[in-house]
Amino acid sequence: MEYIINGGRPLCGEIPVYGAKNCALALLGASVLTDDDLVLRNCPDIADVANMIVLLQVMGKKVVRQGDTVTLSGRLTSICAPRSVATLLRGSALILGSAVARYHQVALPLPGGCAIGARPMDIHLCGLQALGVDVLDTGDMVSCKGVPKAAEYKLRFASVGATENLLCACVLAEGVSTLVNCATEPEVVALEQMLVQMGARISGAGSSVVQIEGVKKIHGTEFVVIPDRIVAATYLSAAAATYGNITVTNCCPQHMGAFLDLMSRRFDVRCRSDAIDFSAKRAPDGYGRVETAPYPFFPTDMQSLLLTLAACSSGKTVIVENLFENRLAHNAAELNKMGADISVENNVATVYGGKLHGANVSASDLRGGAGLVIAALAAEGQSAVSEIRHIGRGYVDLAGNLNKLGAEISVRD
Ligand code: EPU
């Protein structure tokens, strides 16, 4: 399937943002901690969430989806994650911590390296070992066994997934655990908040040092998935690239500081508590030098959006990708097919902005795919963006939503 996109149409109008993929996946993983009902509202209807739900169902959880509300209940009947589903999404790793906490064992087939580069699990596994859990990593399968005991552990890097797994692993561990150098992404903080609502004793939530006092039982709750900051940034980038004028609603500008900082120095950006008014009149003179880094700095997940914006600016931009080794080169090559001037060396892209023209390009990962769609919206003439299955992993009907803002995108089999 591919998108056929007629570019050059400014985006205008109002568009709401739905729940964040990376928040929903972490909360779904944490459902394993309790047999009670866990009710998740604002859960996005995307392939990664659907696959995570299937994974949990195959392992024994009862899951009911009604619109945007997903209710999970019951025990796991198997501690082995099914290979056919587990290998489809990296988020499947987010059951490790809660399964070890609740069932004292779990076996998870590992997804291989994906299109954005190698994604090792050493921090997740070392952390579990520090809690006294035996870990066997055979390269394509991880097995963990043992009752987690409170400990102090310093993550060598503030990994989002490892922080989430270790938080879940600690909540039932006897004693007080201290996790040092935790990720502080809003999705991690949402998980911490939900765990507290479920009866966990956590102090320092939202900071890089988190203390968890183990409790005997975690109970059910109802929780709202936070708005997807990457989706909000995607809509804003599409408006910027087409000199549009949009309002993004149901979002959380507070979670988007680094991105909004960069944009508000170049465009008219007005933030309200849960909405952003945005208007772009001309191409900016580049974006300077931007490096990706863990929250609160510029997120790697917005890097491919920025690469496109830089390519259609009127100046020079240097983008340094510090998190994933292979998240720049593919889109740079595809954008160059559209007339961009981007050179990449060792994860540093040097971009000289200019006008883009339509071309046939291909998505190789989720965020990169969104970056190419935006480039096609900005380009003169028609483009085809193929391999759009990657985009469906994390965006709810990206074409339909952009079309509501005046884009001209159709889907071709
Ligand atoms: N890393 C290790 N060892 C580990 C874990 C991570 O070396 O044990 C490295 C990774 O290789 C990478 C860096 O640490 O270089 C950051 O990885 P992190 O663990 O923080 O990422 P993640 O938890 O695997 C989540 C999001 C990603 C997002 C990153 C960074 C989920 C399901 N995924 O991944 O989202 O890019 O954090 O913010 O939460 C996406 O949505 O498109 C996406 C890739």
mmCIF file with all atom_site columns, all heavy atoms in Angstrom, residues 174-189:
data_model
loop_
_atom_site.group_PDB
_atom_site.id
_atom_site.type_symbol
_atom_site.label_atom_id
_atom_site.label_alt_id
_atom_site.label_comp_id
_atom_site.label_asym_id
_atom_site.label_entity_id
_atom_site.label_seq_id
_atom_site.pdbx_PDB_ins_code
_atom_site.Cartn_x
_atom_site.Cartn_y
_atom_site.Cartn_z
_atom_site.occupancy
_atom_site.B_iso_or_equiv
_atom_site.pdbx_formal_charge
_atom_site.auth_seq_id
_atom_site.auth_comp_id
_atom_site.auth_asym_id
_atom_site.auth_atom_id
_atom_site.pdbx_PDB_model_num
ATOM 1   N N   . GLU A 1 174 ? 10.003 -6.840 48.094 1.00 0.00 ? 174 GLU A N   1
ATOM 2   C CA  . GLU A 1 174 ? 10.071 -6.479 49.513 1.00 0.00 ? 174 GLU A CA  1
ATOM 3   C C   . GLU A 1 174 ? 11.224 -5.513 49.768 1.00 0.00 ? 174 GLU A C   1
ATOM 4   O O   . GLU A 1 174 ? 12.334 -5.735 49.287 1.00 0.00 ? 174 GLU A O   1
ATOM 5   C CB  . GLU A 1 174 ? 10.270 -7.764 50.325 1.00 0.00 ? 174 GLU A CB  1
ATOM 6   C CG  . GLU A 1 174 ? 9.797  -7.618 51.731 1.00 0.00 ? 174 GLU A CG  1
ATOM 7   C CD  . GLU A 1 174 ? 10.055 -8.889 52.528 1.00 0.00 ? 174 GLU A CD  1
ATOM 8   O OE1 . GLU A 1 174 ? 9.951  -9.987 51.950 1.00 0.00 ? 174 GLU A OE1 1
ATOM 9   O OE2 . GLU A 1 174 ? 10.372 -8.738 53.719 1.00 0.00 ? 174 GLU A OE2 1
ATOM 10  N N   . GLY A 1 175 ? 10.945 -4.442 50.505 1.00 0.00 ? 175 GLY A N   1
ATOM 11  C CA  . GLY A 1 175 ? 11.988 -3.466 50.826 1.00 0.00 ? 175 GLY A CA  1
ATOM 12  C C   . GLY A 1 175 ? 11.889 -2.232 49.943 1.00 0.00 ? 175 GLY A C   1
ATOM 13  O O   . GLY A 1 175 ? 10.927 -2.065 49.187 1.00 0.00 ? 175 GLY A O   1
ATOM 14  N N   . VAL A 1 176 ? 12.903 -1.369 50.051 1.00 0.00 ? 176 VAL A N   1
ATOM 15  C CA  . VAL A 1 176 ? 12.876 -0.117 49.285 1.00 0.00 ? 176 VAL A CA  1
ATOM 16  C C   . VAL A 1 176 ? 13.942 -0.177 48.181 1.00 0.00 ? 176 VAL A C   1
ATOM 17  O O   . VAL A 1 176 ? 15.123 -0.363 48.461 1.00 0.00 ? 176 VAL A O   1
ATOM 18  C CB  . VAL A 1 176 ? 13.148 1.107  50.201 1.00 0.00 ? 176 VAL A CB  1
ATOM 19  C CG1 . VAL A 1 176 ? 13.174 2.398  49.373 1.00 0.00 ? 176 VAL A CG1 1
ATOM 20  C CG2 . VAL A 1 176 ? 12.105 1.199  51.299 1.00 0.00 ? 176 VAL A CG2 1
ATOM 21  N N   . SER A 1 177 ? 13.516 -0.029 46.943 1.00 0.00 ? 177 SER A N   1
ATOM 22  C CA  . SER A 1 177 ? 14.452 -0.020 45.809 1.00 0.00 ? 177 SER A CA  1
ATOM 23  C C   . SER A 1 177 ? 14.716 1.418  45.401 1.00 0.00 ? 177 SER A C   1
ATOM 24  O O   . SER A 1 177 ? 13.830 2.285  45.519 1.00 0.00 ? 177 SER A O   1
ATOM 25  C CB  . SER A 1 177 ? 13.864 -0.753 44.606 1.00 0.00 ? 177 SER A CB  1
ATOM 26  O OG  . SER A 1 177 ? 13.592 -2.087 44.920 1.00 0.00 ? 177 SER A OG  1
ATOM 27  N N   . THR A 1 178 ? 15.922 1.662  44.904 1.00 0.00 ? 178 THR A N   1
ATOM 28  C CA  . THR A 1 178 ? 16.237 2.988  44.361 1.00 0.00 ? 178 THR A CA  1
ATOM 29  C C   . THR A 1 178 ? 16.750 2.810  42.940 1.00 0.00 ? 178 THR A C   1
ATOM 30  O O   . THR A 1 178 ? 17.715 2.073  42.714 1.00 0.00 ? 178 THR A O   1
ATOM 31  C CB  . THR A 1 178 ? 17.317 3.683  45.221 1.00 0.00 ? 178 THR A CB  1
ATOM 32  O OG1 . THR A 1 178 ? 16.870 3.705  46.577 1.00 0.00 ? 178 THR A OG1 1
ATOM 33  C CG2 . THR A 1 178 ? 17.561 5.111  44.746 1.00 0.00 ? 178 THR A CG2 1
ATOM 34  N N   . LEU A 1 179 ? 16.085 3.466  42.012 1.00 0.00 ? 179 LEU A N   1
ATOM 35  C CA  . LEU A 1 179 ? 16.551 3.453  40.620 1.00 0.00 ? 179 LEU A CA  1
ATOM 36  C C   . LEU A 1 179 ? 17.163 4.816  40.324 1.00 0.00 ? 179 LEU A C   1
ATOM 37  O O   . LEU A 1 179 ? 16.528 5.850  40.529 1.00 0.00 ? 179 LEU A O   1
ATOM 38  C CB  . LEU A 1 179 ? 15.386 3.167  39.660 1.00 0.00 ? 179 LEU A CB  1
ATOM 39  C CG  . LEU A 1 179 ? 14.683 1.816  39.841 1.00 0.00 ? 179 LEU A CG  1
ATOM 40  C CD1 . LEU A 1 179 ? 13.476 1.706  38.906 1.00 0.00 ? 179 LEU A CD1 1
ATOM 41  C CD2 . LEU A 1 179 ? 15.657 0.661  39.583 1.00 0.00 ? 179 LEU A CD2 1
ATOM 42  N N   . VAL A 1 180 ? 18.418 4.794  39.849 1.00 0.00 ? 180 VAL A N   1
ATOM 43  C CA  . VAL A 1 180 ? 19.150 6.038  39.605 1.00 0.00 ? 180 VAL A CA  1
ATOM 44  C C   . VAL A 1 180 ? 19.373 6.182  38.093 1.00 0.00 ? 180 VAL A C   1
ATOM 45  O O   . VAL A 1 180 ? 19.625 5.190  37.411 1.00 0.00 ? 180 VAL A O   1
ATOM 46  C CB  . VAL A 1 180 ? 20.516 6.005  40.355 1.00 0.00 ? 180 VAL A CB  1
ATOM 47  C CG1 . VAL A 1 180 ? 21.303 7.285  40.110 1.00 0.00 ? 180 VAL A CG1 1
ATOM 48  C CG2 . VAL A 1 180 ? 20.289 5.791  41.841 1.00 0.00 ? 180 VAL A CG2 1
ATOM 49  N N   . ASN A 1 181 ? 19.288 7.421  37.619 1.00 0.00 ? 181 ASN A N   1
ATOM 50  C CA  . ASN A 1 181 ? 19.397 7.738  36.190 1.00 0.00 ? 181 ASN A CA  1
ATOM 51  C C   . ASN A 1 181 ? 18.206 7.192  35.388 1.00 0.00 ? 181 ASN A C   1
ATOM 52  O O   . ASN A 1 181 ? 18.365 6.626  34.301 1.00 0.00 ? 181 ASN A O   1
ATOM 53  C CB  . ASN A 1 181 ? 20.725 7.220  35.615 1.00 0.00 ? 181 ASN A CB  1
ATOM 54  C CG  . ASN A 1 181 ? 21.051 7.906  34.290 1.00 0.00 ? 181 ASN A CG  1
ATOM 55  O OD1 . ASN A 1 181 ? 20.601 9.027  34.023 1.00 0.00 ? 181 ASN A OD1 1
ATOM 56  N ND2 . ASN A 1 181 ? 21.810 7.228  33.436 1.00 0.00 ? 181 ASN A ND2 1
ATOM 57  N N   . CYS A 1 182 ? 17.019 7.373  35.960 1.00 0.00 ? 182 CYS A N   1
ATOM 58  C CA  . CYS A 1 182 ? 15.785 6.955  35.279 1.00 0.00 ? 182 CYS A CA  1
ATOM 59  C C   . CYS A 1 182 ? 15.460 7.912  34.140 1.00 0.00 ? 182 CYS A C   1
ATOM 60  O O   . CYS A 1 182 ? 15.757 9.106  34.214 1.00 0.00 ? 182 CYS A O   1
ATOM 61  C CB  . CYS A 1 182 ? 14.613 7.011  36.254 1.00 0.00 ? 182 CYS A CB  1
ATOM 62  S SG  . CYS A 1 182 ? 14.694 5.753  37.512 1.00 0.00 ? 182 CYS A SG  1
ATOM 63  N N   . ALA A 1 183 ? 14.794 7.386  33.119 1.00 0.00 ? 183 ALA A N   1
ATOM 64  C CA  . ALA A 1 183 ? 14.241 8.248  32.069 1.00 0.00 ? 183 ALA A CA  1
ATOM 65  C C   . ALA A 1 183 ? 13.117 9.085  32.679 1.00 0.00 ? 183 ALA A C   1
ATOM 66  O O   . ALA A 1 183 ? 12.428 8.634  33.603 1.00 0.00 ? 183 ALA A O   1
ATOM 67  C CB  . ALA A 1 183 ? 13.694 7.391  30.938 1.00 0.00 ? 183 ALA A CB  1
ATOM 68  N N   . THR A 1 184 ? 12.944 10.300 32.167 1.00 0.00 ? 184 THR A N   1
ATOM 69  C CA  . THR A 1 184 ? 11.891 11.184 32.708 1.00 0.00 ? 184 THR A CA  1
ATOM 70  C C   . THR A 1 184 ? 10.898 11.595 31.613 1.00 0.00 ? 184 THR A C   1
ATOM 71  O O   . THR A 1 184 ? 10.199 12.606 31.748 1.00 0.00 ? 184 THR A O   1
ATOM 72  C CB  . THR A 1 184 ? 12.517 12.451 33.336 1.00 0.00 ? 184 THR A CB  1
ATOM 73  O OG1 . THR A 1 184 ? 13.276 13.125 32.316 1.00 0.00 ? 184 THR A OG1 1
ATOM 74  C CG2 . THR A 1 184 ? 13.430 12.122 34.491 1.00 0.00 ? 184 THR A CG2 1
ATOM 75  N N   . GLU A 1 185 ? 10.851 10.823 30.534 1.00 0.00 ? 185 GLU A N   1
ATOM 76  C CA  . GLU A 1 185 ? 9.893  11.112 29.461 1.00 0.00 ? 185 GLU A CA  1
ATOM 77  C C   . GLU A 1 185 ? 8.467  11.135 30.041 1.00 0.00 ? 185 GLU A C   1
ATOM 78  O O   . GLU A 1 185 ? 8.164  10.373 30.974 1.00 0.00 ? 185 GLU A O   1
ATOM 79  C CB  . GLU A 1 185 ? 9.977  10.010 28.389 1.00 0.00 ? 185 GLU A CB  1
ATOM 80  C CG  . GLU A 1 185 ? 10.945 10.268 27.237 1.00 0.00 ? 185 GLU A CG  1
ATOM 81  C CD  . GLU A 1 185 ? 12.426 10.213 27.624 1.00 0.00 ? 185 GLU A CD  1
ATOM 82  O OE1 . GLU A 1 185 ? 12.731 9.962  28.799 1.00 0.00 ? 185 GLU A OE1 1
ATOM 83  O OE2 . GLU A 1 185 ? 13.272 10.436 26.743 1.00 0.00 ? 185 GLU A OE2 1
ATOM 84  N N   . PRO A 1 186 ? 7.580  11.953 29.484 1.00 0.00 ? 186 PRO A N   1
ATOM 85  C CA  . PRO A 1 186 ? 6.204  12.017 30.007 1.00 0.00 ? 186 PRO A CA  1
ATOM 86  C C   . PRO A 1 186 ? 5.522  10.647 30.057 1.00 0.00 ? 186 PRO A C   1
ATOM 87  O O   . PRO A 1 186 ? 4.693  10.401 30.944 1.00 0.00 ? 186 PRO A O   1
ATOM 88  C CB  . PRO A 1 186 ? 5.495  12.921 28.985 1.00 0.00 ? 186 PRO A CB  1
ATOM 89  C CG  . PRO A 1 186 ? 6.584  13.742 28.366 1.00 0.00 ? 186 PRO A CG  1
ATOM 90  C CD  . PRO A 1 186 ? 7.826  12.892 28.377 1.00 0.00 ? 186 PRO A CD  1
ATOM 91  N N   . GLU A 1 187 ? 5.892  9.748  29.154 1.00 0.00 ? 187 GLU A N   1
ATOM 92  C CA  . GLU A 1 187 ? 5.267  8.420  29.140 1.00 0.00 ? 187 GLU A CA  1
ATOM 93  C C   . GLU A 1 187 ? 5.699  7.616  30.373 1.00 0.00 ? 187 GLU A C   1
ATOM 94  O O   . GLU A 1 187 ? 4.935  6.799  30.902 1.00 0.00 ? 187 GLU A O   1
ATOM 95  C CB  . GLU A 1 187 ? 5.632  7.668  27.849 1.00 0.00 ? 187 GLU A CB  1
ATOM 96  C CG  . GLU A 1 187 ? 5.065  8.291  26.563 1.00 0.00 ? 187 GLU A CG  1
ATOM 97  C CD  . GLU A 1 187 ? 5.776  9.570  26.103 1.00 0.00 ? 187 GLU A CD  1
ATOM 98  O OE1 . GLU A 1 187 ? 6.916  9.813  26.570 1.00 0.00 ? 187 GLU A OE1 1
ATOM 99  O OE2 . GLU A 1 187 ? 5.203  10.329 25.299 1.00 0.00 ? 187 GLU A OE2 1
ATOM 100 N N   . VAL A 1 188 ? 6.943  7.834  30.826 1.00 0.00 ? 188 VAL A N   1
ATOM 101 C CA  . VAL A 1 188 ? 7.436  7.156  32.040 1.00 0.00 ? 188 VAL A CA  1
ATOM 102 C C   . VAL A 1 188 ? 6.695  7.722  33.253 1.00 0.00 ? 188 VAL A C   1
ATOM 103 O O   . VAL A 1 188 ? 6.248  6.994  34.141 1.00 0.00 ? 188 VAL A O   1
ATOM 104 C CB  . VAL A 1 188 ? 8.963  7.373  32.197 1.00 0.00 ? 188 VAL A CB  1
ATOM 105 C CG1 . VAL A 1 188 ? 9.457  6.784  33.515 1.00 0.00 ? 188 VAL A CG1 1
ATOM 106 C CG2 . VAL A 1 188 ? 9.723  6.789  31.009 1.00 0.00 ? 188 VAL A CG2 1
ATOM 107 N N   . VAL A 1 189 ? 6.551  9.042  33.263 1.00 0.00 ? 189 VAL A N   1
ATOM 108 C CA  . VAL A 1 189 ? 5.878  9.692  34.395 1.00 0.00 ? 189 VAL A CA  1
ATOM 109 C C   . VAL A 1 189 ? 4.414  9.230  34.480 1.00 0.00 ? 189 VAL A C   1
ATOM 110 O O   . VAL A 1 189 ? 3.886  8.982  35.570 1.00 0.00 ? 189 VAL A O   1
ATOM 111 C CB  . VAL A 1 189 ? 5.965  11.236 34.263 1.00 0.00 ? 189 VAL A CB  1
ATOM 112 C CG1 . VAL A 1 189 ? 5.303  11.911 35.458 1.00 0.00 ? 189 VAL A CG1 1
ATOM 113 C CG2 . VAL A 1 189 ? 7.427  11.671 34.146 1.00 0.00 ? 189 VAL A CG2 1
#
